[in-house]
């Protein structure tokens, strides 16, 4: 089965589901559509879905005519009907991970998304978490929720982590030109995740495990925060 799935990814004969159509998810959706890969965008905010279905963008650097084009080309469909998760080949989670009042990570958006996905998860699907979080989240928190579907991670579905990366201060970079880090804990998952992103990202960097990829994002955020603090000082 895995060889036929790999062939689909290689041929770009896949549909990608992107959960969370914010400043990360919507540009990523556009990047896939620009390569003629179909995308189903999911969001619980029905006002976003209505806006996108009417051809209107709410993100500054994505004009309305881009949304209209990918809608009219039949490449992009946005919905709040999560049962359509079962229609896609790969699921990319781009939901926010805010802090609680105690300045601790609030994983509720990630975990509730995982619970919703688990209701419709099917064999052969790849699930990639992009949301910023701490090492251990994907395996210790998200994986057991997905396995509540009755499917087993690494056998029935595949799990990877690839941290969201934006460069809002540079006009020379787009989603496709920002290098992408990908990590997984088994051969099939890393092969699929790498193929998925190589279809739309110019440079994909494969690391040794999910935890390494999660730690990379955490280190990058700390580095950025320290730099901002020093500049402000």
């Amino acid at each position: 089965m895995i060889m036929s799935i790999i062939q689909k990814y290689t041929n770009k004969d896949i549909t990608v589901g992107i959960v969370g159509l914010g400043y990360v998810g919507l540009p990523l959706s556009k990047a896939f559509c620009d390569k003629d890969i179909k995308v189903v965008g999911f969001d619980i905010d029905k006002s976003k879905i209505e806006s996108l279905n009417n051809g209107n963008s709410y993100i500054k650097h994505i004009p309305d005519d881009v949304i209209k084009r990918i809608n009219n080309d039949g490449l992009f469909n946005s919905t709040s009907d999560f049962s359509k998760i079962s229609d896609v080949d790969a699921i990319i989670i781009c939901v926010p991970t805010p802090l609680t009042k105690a300045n601790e990570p609030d994983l509720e958006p990630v975990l509730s998304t995982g619970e919703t996905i688990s209701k419709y998860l099917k064999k052969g699907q790849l699930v990639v978490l992009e949301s910023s979080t701490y090492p251990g989240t994907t395996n210790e928190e998200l994986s057991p929720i997905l396995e509540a579907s009755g499917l087993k991670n690494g056998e029935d579905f595949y799990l990877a982590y690839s941290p969201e990366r934006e460069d809002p201060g540079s006009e020379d970079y787009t989603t496709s030109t920002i290098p992408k880090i990908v990590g997984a804990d088994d051969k099939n998952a890393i092969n699929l995740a790498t193929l998925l992103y190589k279809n739309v990202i110019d440079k994909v960097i494969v690391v040794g495990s999910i935890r390494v990829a999660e730690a990379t994002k955490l280190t990058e955020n700390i580095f950025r925060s320290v730099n901002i603090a020093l500049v402000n000082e």
Side-chain angles (χ1 to χ4, degrees):
M1 184 175 95
I2 187 61
M3 293 308 297
S4 62
I5 297 174
I6 287 174
Q7 193 61 46
K8 286 187 69 176
Y9 279 69
T10 303
N11 295 338
K12 299 184 182 180
D13 184 25
I14 55 173
T15 299
V16 179
I18 296 180
V19 183
L21 298 173
Y23 74 96
V24 173
L26 190 57
L28 186 60
S29 299
K30 174 188 174 296
F32 278 103
C33 291
D34 285 345
K35 299 296 183 180
D36 294 326
I37 295 174
K38 291 182 178 179
V39 173
V40 180
F42 298 88
D43 206 290
I44 59 173
D45 187 342
K46 293 186 178 180
S47 65
K48 286 184 178 178
I49 300 303
E50 183 179 359
S51 178
L52 293 170
N53 286 336
N54 287 329
N56 299 318
S57 175
Y58 41 80
I59 292 182
K60 184 178 179 181
H61 61 279
I62 299 181
D64 291 349
D65 62 342
V66 169
I67 302 300
K68 290 185 175 74
R69 172 178 58 80
I70 59 179
N71 282 345
N72 293 336
D73 288 346
L75 293 169
F76 184 61
N77 175 41
S78 50
T79 182
S80 56
D81 179 4
F82 282 79
S83 68
K84 293 184 178 179
I85 285 285
S86 60
D87 297 333
V88 305
D89 300 286
I91 305 159
I92 303 176
I93 302 172
C94 302
V95 298
T97 44
L99 294 175
T100 65
K101 291 181 180 179
N103 284 329
E104 295 177 345
D106 181 3
L107 292 182
E108 195 280 331
V110 171
L111 302 185
S112 62
T113 297
E115 289 170 359
T116 301
I117 290 171
S118 70
K119 297 175 185 177
Y120 309 107
L121 194 66
K122 67 178 184 180
K123 285 189 176 183
Q125 285 181 315
L126 169 69
V127 181
V128 184
L129 178 61
E130 285 209 4
S131 306
S132 299
T133 189
Y134 56 86
T137 300
T138 308
N139 280 328
E140 296 167 14
E141 303 287 348
L142 181 59
S143 181
I145 291 174
L146 296 176
E147 288 190 327
S149 63
L151 302 178
K152 187 170 178 58
N153 178 14
E155 294 182 11
D156 301 313
F157 70 92
Y158 310 99
L159 187 61
Y161 183 80
S162 181
E164 58 189 26
R165 302 191 77 212
E166 292 293 309
D167 192 2
S170 174
E171 296 181 357
D172 298 329
Y173 283 87
T174 64
T175 299
S176 294
T177 58
I178 299 172
K180 200 84 168 79
I181 294 165
V182 178
D185 293 339
D186 67 83
K187 181 180 178 181
N188 292 331
I190 197 61
N191 284 343
L192 291 177
T194 302
L195 285 171
L196 174 69
Y197 286 110
K198 278 190 173 181
N199 283 326
V200 294
I201 306 295
D202 293 346
K203 184 176 182 180
V204 175
I205 302 166
V206 178
V207 296
S209 68
I210 284 176
R211 278 183 171 270
V212 170
E214 290 169 327
T216 300
K217 177 58 177 176
L218 193 62
T219 303
E220 182 177 284
N221 281 5
I222 292 169
F223 185 80
R224 179 182 292 120
S225 295
V226 170
N227 279 348
I228 292 171
L230 289 172
V231 169
N232 288 340
E233 186 67 24

